[in-house]
Structure formats: structure tokens, C-alpha cells
């Protein structure tokens, strides 16, 4: 439906933006494109492609710090190719990305970035949160840290684009999948689901014709179910900044 609306506004004939091309990783050896979306097991998919590209011979051998180091991991981005090279790959390669229940994704983004932030990315709390509070908090006298309702008000504002531009690429954690991977412009072979990854991962490997070469790293049992129950509990919005 979204793509139909996009087509009516004649956006589907625009070129794929550099923002999207930067998110698509290329495995030329096996003709695969993978568009990275946050929080759906991307690190594992990148490891699969790194092995397929031949930089390492097995997933276990890849040091964690190399996975996201785009100088060392031997995984080129689609944006690094010529215009013709990009078009050729988009037309002929196996293309996939993974999505996740939108509500679950928002709660996960809010908790990861504003509540716990295990990787210590201080700009979420010190720059993005105050920006959202300033514009979207109903009660001006309230001094608590960002609340889920502030976050939702911000997300629900169709005119928030100017604020997002100030926040830069950090918004990828909640920006829509349509904006991240351009499924209206790019005809993906498979869109997998985080919730059913146990079944989807082997299916993707089989469809891409690489199931005999590599397998998706074992998913800890119950992780997708655990995420869902966690979100159902959080769904009541009792999220404190602590």
C-alpha cells in the first residue's frame, strides 16, 4: 500500500538515494545484496556475507571488531560502485532485508538508546532526547528524562523531518523501512521477519543458493519469543529513564 501511494506521488521513479545505497552490502561472488536494518540480527548476516566473500573461511574466525569495520571486512557497500554497476547489481542480484514488528522495534529503540544504552552512545541522551523534549513535551514544568510518550509524539509528527536532519544518521533506529531500504524502488527477492528468523534464515540461504556453503549462526532458543513478551510487558509504557 505504501508503495502504491509512493507511485501515485511519482516517487518510485526516483533514483535510489545514497543513504539507501550505503546500507546495502554486496557479495559479488554469489550475487547477493543485503540491506541492513537495525536490530534484527544484522551482525550475523554480515558475518555470513564476509565468509561468502572469502575474507575469512568461517564465521567463528571473524573478530567482532572487524564485522563493522568496513575497511577490513571485505564487504563493499553498493554506493561504492559506478552508476552502471549499481543498476546491474540491483537488476540481477538476489536481494533481501529483514524487518521486525514496528511496535516492538520502537520499544527496542527507545530502551536501547534512551534507557539503557549499553554501548554508551551519549548523544542519544544528551542531544537527541533534549531536542525531542523541547519540542514535544506537553508539560513544560516537568523535568524527568525522556518518556516514551515524548518519543511517540515526536514520531507521530509528520513535520519532524527538520529535526531528523539535525539528529543525522542516528535516527536509523526508528526511521521507516521504506526510507532505509527503498522497497518501492528495489524489487527485493525476500523480506524476512525477525519474529520468524528460525525459519526465514534457512529459507533465505536456500533461495540465494548458498545453503550448501554457509549456515546462519544458531539463534539462541526463544530469543524472538523473549523479545515479544518483553515488549508486551513494556507496552504499558511504564518506562522510567532509570
Amino acid at each position: 500500500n505504501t508503495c502504491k501511494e509512493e507511485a501515485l506521488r511519482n516517487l518510485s521513479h526516483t533514483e535510489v538515494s545514497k543513504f539507501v545505497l550505503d546500507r546495502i552490502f554486496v557479495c559479488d561472488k554469489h550475487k547477493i545484496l543485503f540491506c541492513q536494518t537495525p536490530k534484527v540480527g544484522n551482525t550475523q548476516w554480515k558475518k555470513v556475507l564476509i565468509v561468502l566473500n572469502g575474507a575469512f573461511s568461517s564465521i567463528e574466525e571473524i573478530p567482532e571488531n572487524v564485522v563493522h569495520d568496513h575497511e577490513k571486512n571485505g564487504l563493499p557497500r553498493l554506493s561504492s560502485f559506478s552508476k552502471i554497476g549499481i543498476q546491474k547489481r540491483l537488476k540481477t542480484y538476489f536481494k533481501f532485508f529483514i524487518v521486525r514488528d514496528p511496535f516492538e522495534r520502537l520499544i527496542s529503540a527507545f530502551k536501547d538508546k534512551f534507557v539503557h544504552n549499553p554501548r554508551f552512545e551519549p548523544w542519544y541522551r544528551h542531544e537527541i532526547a533534549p531536542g525531542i523534549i523541547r519540542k514535544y513535551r506537553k508539560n513544560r514544568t516537568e523535568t524527568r528524562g525522556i518518556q516514551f510518550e515524548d518519543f511517540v509524539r515526536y514520531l507521530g509528527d509528520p513535520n519532524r523531518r527538520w529535526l531528523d536532519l539535525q539528529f543525522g544518521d542516528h535516527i536509523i533506529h526508528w526511521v521507516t523501512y521504506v526510507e532505509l531500504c527503498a522497497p518501492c524502488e528495489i524489487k527485493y527477492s525476500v523480506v524476512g521477519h525477525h519474529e520468524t528468523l528460525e525459519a526465514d534464515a534457512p529459507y533465505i540461504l536456500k533461495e540465494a543458493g548458498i545453503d550448501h556453503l554457509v549456515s546462519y549462526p544458531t539463534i539462541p532458543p526463544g530469543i524472538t519469543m523473549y523479545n515479544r513478551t518483553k515488549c508486551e510487558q513494556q507496552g504499558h509504557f511504564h518506562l522510567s529513564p532509570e
Side-chain angles (χ1 to χ4, degrees):
N1 288 345
T2 301
C3 292
K4 273 188 196 135
E5 283 169 32
E6 299 269 318
L8 291 175
R9 298 210 304 270
N10 206 19
L11 294 180
S12 55
H13 303 301
T14 54
E15 278 188 24
V16 180
S17 70
K18 179 164 185 324
F19 175 70
V20 173
L21 295 173
D22 273 346
R23 308 199 59 70
I24 298 178
F25 293 96
V26 181
C27 172
D28 274 335
K29 203 171 170 187
H30 298 279
K31 297 190 162 41
I32 296 168
L33 299 179
F34 165 60
C35 183
Q36 173 172 302
T37 51
K39 290 276 168 292
V40 290
N42 283 304
T43 303
Q44 310 294 36
W45 284 114
K46 279 166 103 171
K47 286 178 179 174
V48 166
L49 294 181
I50 289 166
V51 169
L52 287 173
N53 260 350
F56 290 86
S57 55
S58 78
I59 283 171
E60 294 71 39
E61 278 176 41
I62 309 168
E64 286 303 317
N65 59 335
V66 168
V67 180
H68 303 294
D69 184 331
H70 298 119
E71 304 294 306
K72 294 187 187 139
N73 67 12
L75 259 194
R77 294 167 189 265
L78 192 52
S79 55
S80 67
F81 295 92
S82 69
K83 221 173 190 174
I84 294 166
I86 291 169
Q87 284 313 321
K88 190 186 85 177
R89 287 170 176 82
L90 283 175
K91 271 202 182 75
T92 58
Y93 281 21
F94 177 87
K95 301 170 285 292
F96 76 101
F97 71 108
I98 312 289
V99 297
R100 180 179 183 178
D101 175 274
F103 192 64
E104 195 179 294
R105 181 180 174 218
L106 289 184
I107 290 174
S108 167
F110 181 78
K111 287 186 71 179
D112 277 354
K113 300 301 166 195
F114 299 113
V115 183
H116 303 308
N117 208 329
R119 277 182 290 281
F120 190 64
E121 300 159 310
W123 49 88
Y124 285 100
R125 270 195 199 159
H126 301 315
E127 289 164 38
I128 296 180
I132 292 173
I133 289 169
R134 263 197 306 278
K135 176 131 175 61
Y136 296 101
R137 180 156 290 178
K138 283 274 187 280
N139 178 356
R140 292 283 165 209
T141 56
E142 199 185 316
T143 56
R144 288 189 301 168
I146 189 167
Q147 302 296 296
F148 192 66
E149 59 195 70
D150 303 319
F151 186 53
V152 170
R153 275 198 202 99
Y154 147 71
L155 291 171
D157 179 1
N159 303 313
R160 63 169 214 264
R161 174 69 75 199
W162 64 275
L163 198 57
D164 285 352
L165 288 170
Q166 291 170 30
F167 293 158
D169 278 356
H170 304 310
I171 60 163
I172 60 157
H173 291 280
W174 51 83
V175 94
T176 64
Y177 290 128
V178 166
E179 290 168 88
L180 285 174
C181 290
C184 298
E185 286 84 9
I186 297 171
K187 201 166 168 29
Y188 283 94
S189 322
V190 177
V191 178
H193 287 252
H194 177 66
E195 289 79 3
T196 51
L197 208 50
E198 284 93 341
D200 290 10
Y203 174 81
I204 289 168
L205 296 174
K206 190 163 174 290
E207 288 294 298
I210 51 171
D211 52 327
H212 61 295
L213 296 169
V214 70
S215 57
Y216 187 83
T218 314
I219 301 160
I223 192 159
T224 41
M225 194 57 216
Y226 164 72
N227 279 331
R228 200 165 317 146
T229 33
K230 190 172 69 174
C231 286
E232 279 163 11
Q233 290 154 9
Q234 295 295 350
H236 308 301
F237 308 148
H238 299 313
L239 288 170
S240 72
E242 290 75 53

